[in-house]
Amino acid sequence: VTLRSQLYQALQQRQFQLYYQPKINLDSHEMMGVEAIVRWHHPDEGVLLPGSFIDLVEQSGIVHAFTRYTVEEAMNQIKSWSEQGLHIPVSVNLSAYNLLDEAFAGFIESLLRKTGICPSLLEFELTESATMVDIAVSKRMIKTFKTMGIKTSIDDFGTGMSSFAYLRELDIHTVKLDRSFVKNIHQRKKDERIVEGIVSLCRSLSIDIIAEGVETARQAEILRNLDCQLAQGFLFGKPVPSSSLQNLFSIHK
Ligand code: G
Ligand code: G
Ligand code: MN
Ligand code: NA
């Protein structure tokens, strides 16, 4: 039995669960939002990380149903937090193929109506490779989301071949600086200069920037000195189930 052949049943049996990783303001140390990251509670294999099955999801016809499931779960979580007075922005990772799904925007629209959540609490993360599928299609989708009040961010920024073209063509709210730029920032001046440049560019374009993969206090300090105000990474918290996050939220409040 292959993982691939088990995807459909896993979705039906709700074996996928969203975990949430905090996004932190480096000045105030407040939690500014979370990224939803999926886990597969596999009946035989235990908890699987997305790295071991997202490619399979994307290569199979299930990708549309899968993303509908994750987005609906995220929106229900936003609703549940909102009802408790916690207005926590949540970002959800999309696949390239979701942009080619003509019915996706309509599905999101109906979920917004159904849940009644504030659309500004929802954000979609696209990778550069996802937007590359067809830049005109991506541009239209991102515009549609924006009309609905939903933000879009570019994930793993700086690793693709056309980062600047995306900034020019797409109406992006946030750039998520890929963790490869953060990893050695404390020991390589060149990396520090590159990040400084990206931060300044984003600032001049009125685009928010968040550093990914921050694991040490030293990295956080350098990023803060470079005027990068937002960060995400194991230093502040790993992805956790929503129940564990609630404690984190009060700590950061
Ligand atoms: O946790 P891990 O390092 O295995 O994550 C691998 C990749 O899976 C990351 O690039 C992340 O963006 C992606 N990912 C995590 N959750 C989701 C999801 O719900 N949908 C999609 N399409 N990708 C996800
Ligand atoms: O591509 P994306 O940025 O969506 O990837 C999210 C993945 O990155 C998740 O699987 C998450 O577990 C992982 N991740 C989050 N923070 C860190 C970190 O500080 N270091 C490393 N190595 N991985 C991280
Ligand atoms: Mn992401
Ligand atoms: Na990333």
Side-chain angles (χ1 to χ4, degrees):
V1 190
T2 61
L3 282 182
R4 181 194 293 266
S5 69
Q6 295 172 320
L7 285 172
Y8 182 72
Q9 200 182 25
L11 197 55
Q12 281 192 318
Q13 297 182 350
R14 307 178 66 83
Q15 290 171 11
F16 297 107
Q17 185 187 355
L18 291 184
Y19 279 42
Y20 298 90
Q21 184 176 38
K23 299 176 182 175
I24 301 295
N25 180 308
L26 290 173
D27 293 320
S28 65
H29 286 97
E30 262 186 302
M31 187 171 83
M32 307 307 288
V34 293
E35 175 180 358
I37 293 167
V38 73
R39 296 277 185 271
W40 183 353
H41 292 272
H42 194 282
D44 309 316
E45 308 290 332
V47 180
L48 299 178
L49 300 178
S52 65
F53 63 85
I54 281 293
D55 284 354
L56 296 178
V57 169
E58 295 189 338
Q59 290 157 16
S60 70
I62 207 162
V63 65
H64 299 299
F66 179 85
T67 303
R68 279 168 166 73
Y69 174 84
T70 57
V71 176
E72 183 162 11
E73 288 287 292
M75 286 169 82
N76 285 335
Q77 188 61 66
I78 291 173
K79 180 181 165 75
S80 161
W81 277 327
S82 292
E83 286 166 355
Q84 300 166 57
L86 300 171
H87 302 284
I88 309 179
V90 177
S91 61
V92 182
N93 292 282
L94 300 190
S95 291
Y97 304 97
N98 300 132
L99 298 182
L100 302 175
D101 176 0
E102 301 275 346
F104 187 66
F107 172 77
I108 299 302
E109 183 89 72
S110 68
L111 272 186
L112 282 176
R113 266 197 308 271
K114 191 178 117 191
T115 58
I117 64 161
C118 179
S120 66
L121 293 176
L122 184 63
E123 179 174 320
F124 290 136
E125 296 195 10
L126 297 170
T127 60
E128 291 185 22
S129 60
T131 56
M132 202 148 41
V133 167
D134 182 336
I135 195 133
V137 169
S138 302
K139 194 170 176 167
R140 196 158 11 94
M141 272 293 225
I142 290 169
K143 207 169 165 185
T144 305
F145 295 148
K146 191 176 182 183
T147 306
M148 293 184 207
I150 300 167
K151 302 182 180 88
T152 303
S153 55
I154 291 287
D155 204 0
D156 309 332
F157 183 83
T159 55
M161 301 298 275
S162 319
S163 306
F164 296 119
Y166 297 129
L167 288 190
R168 192 183 58 200
E169 295 301 325
L170 307 174
D171 202 340
I172 294 301
H173 187 271
T174 304
V175 153
K176 301 196 73 182
L177 181 72
D178 188 69
R179 62 173 147 271
S180 59
F181 295 101
V182 172
K183 197 169 195 293
N184 300 306
I185 200 168
H186 54 294
Q187 51 197 27
R188 289 183 53 183
K189 268 291 168 211
K190 205 170 181 178
D191 294 25
E192 194 178 328
R193 293 283 84 84
I194 289 171
V195 173
E196 186 177 32
I198 296 175
V199 169
S200 148
L201 177 65
C202 287
R203 173 124 324 133
S204 64
L205 292 170
S206 301
I207 295 173
D208 283 356
I209 178 161
I210 177 164
E212 298 186 300
V214 178
E215 296 180 351
T216 69
R218 184 84 189 104
Q219 291 166 341
E221 187 192 343
I222 293 168
L223 287 162
R224 187 168 170 262
N225 289 336
L226 292 177
D227 231 6
C228 178
Q229 279 157 356
L230 300 171
Q232 191 180 337
F234 295 158
L235 176 65
F236 309 106
K238 297 191 168 174
V240 291
S242 61
S243 52
S244 315
L245 194 82
Q246 226 130 346
N247 312 328
L248 255 179
F249 192 70
S250 49
I251 291 168
H252 287 289
K253 247 336 223 195

